[in-house]
Amino acid sequence: MNFQKLKEEALKKGIKEIEVYSVKENGIEISTYNDEVDTNVLSQTDVLAIRGVYNKQIVTIYEENNNDEMIPKIINKIIENASLIDKNEPYFIYGGDKNYETISEAKNDFDDYNTKDKADLCLKLKDLIFAKSDTVKSVSASYSEHDVAVSIINSNGLNVSKHNKYAFIAVEVVCSLNEEMKTGFDYVYLKNIKDFQMDKLADSAFLDAYESFNAKSIKSGNYKVVLDKSVVSSLLSAFSNIFSADAVIKNMSFLKDKVGEKIFGENITIIDDPMFELATSKDTFDDEGVKSTEKTLVENGKLITYLHNLKTASIMKTKSTGNGYKASASSSVGVSPSNLYLKPGKIEFAEMLKAVDNGIYVNSVQGLHAGLNPISGDFNLQASGFLIENGKKSKPITLFILSGKLQDMLNNVVYLGNDFEIKGSVGAPSITIEKMAISGK
């Protein structure tokens, strides 16, 4: 769609400001079950979210027909919808920043492989896992690829665009031994298919199932606990909304009125970096067109800032942090992190277990959305993992509840590992907690 033509026609009809937010996405979804390819789908979307200001009212409409013939219809729809509302709320159509970071587009080899090659990756992964043990009964694998281009242009001078392309492979394994069934799962994001470490993913998913056979519960009590990096990332992701200024304004975060105060231990630093080198996607601007920058949210245990979009920044009389994001093109702008991570330490994972001597290693939690409270920081999560005996991972354990408060947990971190990992947009190392409450048998 020719934006200049849309703008000129809109201004003629009395529309004072207009903006077009465009998302174009091409995707591939392939899934296999044992020897069969049961899904092989190519998808393509092209969605416009168009905002217009008419008679001091802002209206958003959505279109999938990206051509100039739609311009009269769009303008009439904005005027008609604006005439039906009467609100006295502030709106924000951003004029842009002076300078935006330039990111060289990441090179990948996804286009060097056809869809059959990508399905074969899943089938080869299946073969590797079945070859490991006769306890393996089924393997489900999937390959997903996403090519996403976002642009925002408006009548106030903003004209920005960004492009991210990524893929990931996931695998689920079902094992059976002595009539006991166990499931294992893991996934990896890919930057290049040629660098895919298939053996590593096969081992991880298989062992996730196989090592949990004969798992027992444990006695309730307070234990020294090592949380696996994946569990720490899951907790950080589930609690990430506590940093949102929108949640603070709505009294839905225990960090309300805590800026400048010590909230976690001095060894805790949490960063939101939209251009983090190890992340899957990188952002030079958010979904309102505000420049994205690295932010230290917690530094040495002290809360430095909340995350803001234009609306929350206006309410709190500060500047947007460039964290105004949409869940989809057709949703409203909220507040969320870009690439959020807990800064790692220097200790090896094996040394963490050795330092604990006797305790619990937790490598899986469930119920993250139902089992935590961002207002209080409380969490109660079903967990599984292994005993730590004489400084080493020992017997598998399951069906116990991990309980506590996030702020208490992060005030009692003894060690942060050097095994940092980021999958998607949240990253963390494994950590050792001096004491956590466990409810078992």
Side-chain angles (χ1 to χ4, degrees), residues 20 50 98 115 181-182 249 290 348 396-397 421 424:
V20 176
I50 303 164
K98 288 184 179 179
T115 54
M181 303 288 290
K182 293 294 181 181
I249 291 165
V290 178
E348 299 280 347
I397 52 177
E421 181 179 65

Side-chain angles (χ1 to χ4, degrees), residues 124-196:
K124 289 175 183 176
L125 184 60
K126 175 266 304 179
D127 289 339
L128 276 177
I129 294 172
F130 266 103
K132 291 183 180 298
S133 170
D134 58 8
T135 63
V136 177
K137 300 305 175 187
S138 68
V139 176
S140 301
S142 63
Y143 174 93
S144 297
E145 185 176 307
H146 302 272
D147 187 346
V148 185
V150 175
S151 65
I152 312 174
I153 183 170
N154 66 37
S155 56
N156 293 338
L158 179 69
N159 188 354
V160 289
S161 60
K162 59 187 175 183
H163 180 213
N164 282 295
K165 190 171 185 178
Y166 60 92
F168 67 90
I169 292 181
V171 61
E172 182 178 74
V173 183
V174 177
C175 294
S176 176
L177 180 64
N178 297 329
E179 299 184 353
E180 185 180 7
M181 303 288 290
K182 293 294 181 181
T183 302
F185 176 81
D186 202 359
Y187 66 99
V188 293
Y189 280 86
L190 302 177
K191 292 186 177 180
N192 284 288
I193 291 176
K194 66 179 176 60
D195 297 328
F196 173 39

Side-chain angles (χ1 to χ4, degrees), residues 6 71 85 91-93 133 143 184 186 220 238 241 243 247 291 310 313 389 397 403 410 416 437:
L6 173 66
I71 289 176
I85 58 177
Y91 61 84
F92 306 90
I93 294 185
S133 170
Y143 174 93
D186 202 359
S220 298
N241 199 49
F243 297 110
K291 180 179 178 179
L310 290 170
E389 296 181 308
I397 52 177
S403 301
L410 293 182
L416 294 106

Side-chain angles (χ1 to χ4, degrees), residues 3 15-20 50-54 57-60 90-96 152-158 288-290 310:
F3 178 76
I15 294 174
K16 301 299 183 184
E17 299 174 72
I18 194 159
E19 176 180 272
V20 176
I50 303 164
R51 297 195 298 162
V53 179
Y54 181 80
Q57 304 295 327
I58 188 163
V59 170
T60 304
Y91 61 84
F92 306 90
I93 294 185
Y94 194 59
I152 312 174
I153 183 170
N154 66 37
S155 56
N156 293 338
L158 179 69
E288 294 183 297
V290 178
L310 290 170

Side-chain angles (χ1 to χ4, degrees), residues 382-401:
Q382 184 174 314
S384 59
F386 297 84
L387 289 176
I388 301 171
E389 296 181 308
N390 299 317
K392 295 182 179 180
K393 189 174 80 171
S394 180
K395 303 179 187 70
I397 52 177
T398 190
L399 298 177
F400 60 91
I401 303 297

Side-chain angles (χ1 to χ4, degrees), residues 26 64 75 105 124 205 239 253 287 315 363 366 393 397 404 410:
N26 295 311
E64 294 185 8
I75 291 171
E105 194 164 311
K124 289 175 183 176
F239 272 111
S253 169
D287 288 335
I315 292 170
N363 69 348
Q366 296 179 344
K393 189 174 80 171
I397 52 177
L410 293 182

